Each structure stands twice: as structure tokens, then as C-alpha cells.
Amino acid sequence: MSDPFLVVQDDVISSFEQARTLLASWQRLNNKRRSPQEENEYQYMTDELHSSLKSIDTDLADLQETIDVARDFPEDYGLTPAKLADRQKFVSDRSKDVERMRQILNRPAPSQQRPVPSAAAGRGEQPEQFAVELNNYQENQQMMLQQQDQHFDAMLGTVRNLHGIASTMNTELDSQAILLDEVDGLFDRTQSKLNSAKDKVTKFLRDRGNRSLHIILILFAVILVLLVLIIFT
């Protein structure tokens, strides 16, 4: 069965990389005079980044909780102190990275100048180009989320399959244990019968030897009596 920590860790790494890429685009807009359409895109990116960082914080809190549970008895969870330390380092480092990204988001923009109106806005035209770009961006984000969901579903299916295999193996082991117990009982009964037969054979041979000696003594006595009778008659 897959380690739940590693599954969540992979999700954190993937989410962090996406947030870092989005932050780079956000900084590009943050450091320039923005047109109205760029201002809308800038606000959308800001909201997305705050949401992503909050989600990563939640995952990191879950990972920290698993570390705290396993800290006292790591061997019960198949962990060595070194592995536990590596997991703690991952959580601590990612938490610091998230905090640095959040500080960048909350930092005042280097220039608070008013956005430069676009030519289309100056002529009273609708910013259709920005709407298309924003729509494309949202579709890309939706596609990424769907891919993440599919990846998670695939991992969940793998975990379920591994759980089924483990259950089947456990059932087989139980059956083998029952069979071994039956074989062990059969061996004990066979050994008991062999010991009983051995005792009977030993007793028979001993009794047979005693009867043979008695017959020899009787025959010797008879022969001796006959010799005496022959001599004195």
C-alpha cells in the first residue's frame, strides 16, 4: 500500500510548482504600470495565489500532524529517525517557502501609479482581447485542475488496488496457516501411531524371546529325564 504521506507530498510539490510559476507572472505585472485589462488579470492572479497558498498550508498541516503522531514510535509506522527527519525538513522548508511567497504577495507594489488606460478604453471600446486572454487563462487553469484530479484519481485507484491485493494476500496467508495447523496435527497423530506400533513390536519380540527360552528349558528337562530313564533301566 502507498504511503499516504508520499501521496500528499507529491500533491504539495505539484501545487507549489504551479504557485511559483503563477507568482512569476504576478511579479511581472506587479512591477509595471498596468493597463485596465492587465489590472484585472493581476487581481485574478492575486486571488489564485492566495487560494493556492492556503491549500498548500492545509496540506502541510496534515503532513505535520502525521509526523507528530509517528514521532514517538516511528518504528510502528515503518520509519527510521532519518526518514522522519527528512519528512520534517520537507514540511519546514515548504512552510518557509509559502511564507516567503505570501510576504511577496503582501508587499506593496514598487509603483503605485495609476494604470495606463488602453487605446481601446480611450476610444470607449470593450477590452475584448483581454477577455479572450483571461478566458484562455481560466481554461488553462481548469485544465490543470482536471489533470490534477485525474492524477489523484489514478493514484487513488492504485491505492485501492494495492489494498485489494494486500487483503487477498492476507486471506491466502490465513488459509496457509490453517493448512499448516492441519498438517502439524496429522503429523502428531501419525507420530503417535508410529510410537504405539513400535511399542507393540518391542513387546511382541520381548514376549517371543521369553517363550522361546521357556520351550528350550522344558525340552532340556525332558531330554534329561529320558537320559536318566535310559541309564537306570
Side-chain angles (χ1 to χ4, degrees):
M1 183 179 293
S2 300
D3 190 337
F5 182 94
L6 299 181
V7 174
V8 179
Q9 183 184 43
D10 290 340
D11 290 341
V12 170
I13 293 174
S14 177
S15 298
F16 182 78
E17 290 300 323
Q18 294 175 15
R20 187 166 59 180
T21 300
L22 185 58
L23 180 64
S25 299
W26 180 90
Q27 287 179 301
R28 178 179 58 81
L29 293 177
N30 186 59
N31 295 328
K32 61 178 291 188
R33 296 178 62 185
R34 297 179 292 275
S35 64
Q37 50 265 49
E38 288 176 332
E39 182 66 26
N40 291 333
E41 184 179 359
Y42 174 81
Q43 293 299 328
Y44 177 79
M45 288 183 178
T46 302
D47 294 340
E48 282 291 310
L49 282 168
H50 281 297
S51 178
S52 296
L53 295 181
K54 183 177 179 180
S55 177
I56 294 173
D57 275 337
T58 300
D59 289 339
L60 290 174
D62 291 340
L63 293 179
Q64 184 62 54
E65 184 176 353
T66 63
I67 293 174
D68 294 338
V69 171
R71 193 182 304 279
D72 294 333
F73 303 100
E75 61 278 0
D76 292 345
Y77 299 90
L79 298 174
T80 62
K83 287 184 178 180
L84 196 62
D86 288 341
R87 295 187 174 190
Q88 182 62 70
K89 184 176 185 302
F90 172 81
V91 173
S92 299
D93 290 347
R94 293 290 79 77
S95 296
K96 293 177 182 178
D97 291 337
V98 169
E99 184 59 29
R100 282 194 290 267
M101 293 175 69
R102 185 171 283 114
Q103 290 176 357
I104 293 174
L105 281 176
N106 295 331
R107 187 183 305 162
S111 176
Q112 297 295 337
Q113 297 174 346
R114 295 179 60 186
V116 177
S118 64
R123 295 192 302 268
E125 299 176 359
Q126 297 295 328
E128 297 179 357
Q129 182 63 31
F130 168 72
V132 173
E133 293 177 355
L134 180 59
N135 183 61
N136 291 337
Y137 176 79
Q138 292 174 337
E139 289 179 353
N140 291 334
Q141 291 297 314
Q142 185 66 27
M143 185 178 299
M144 292 174 62
L145 291 175
Q146 291 176 352
Q147 291 175 350
Q148 289 181 357
D149 291 340
Q150 293 173 357
H151 180 62
F152 180 76
D153 290 340
M155 289 191 298
L156 184 60
T158 301
V159 170
R160 289 174 177 171
N161 290 337
L162 291 173
H163 177 71
I165 293 173
S167 298
T168 302
M169 292 178 62
N170 185 55
T171 302
E172 290 294 332
L173 290 175
D174 290 340
S175 300
Q176 293 295 330
I178 294 173
L179 181 60
L180 288 175
D181 289 339
E182 293 176 353
V183 171
D184 188 55
L186 179 61
F187 177 80
D188 291 339
R189 291 192 296 272
T190 303
Q191 184 67 31
S192 177
K193 292 180 179 179
L194 289 175
N195 291 336
S196 178
K198 180 181 177 182
D199 293 340
K200 291 180 180 180
V201 170
T202 301
K203 182 179 180 181
F204 172 77
L205 293 176
R206 184 172 61 252
D207 294 342
R208 183 178 178 183
N210 292 337
R211 287 195 297 270
S212 299
L213 180 60
H214 292 161
I215 294 171
I216 292 172
L217 291 176
I218 293 172
L219 290 174
F220 180 76
V222 171
I223 293 172
L224 183 61
V225 171
L226 291 175
L227 288 176
V228 171
L229 292 175
I230 295 172
I231 293 172
F232 293 98
T233 54

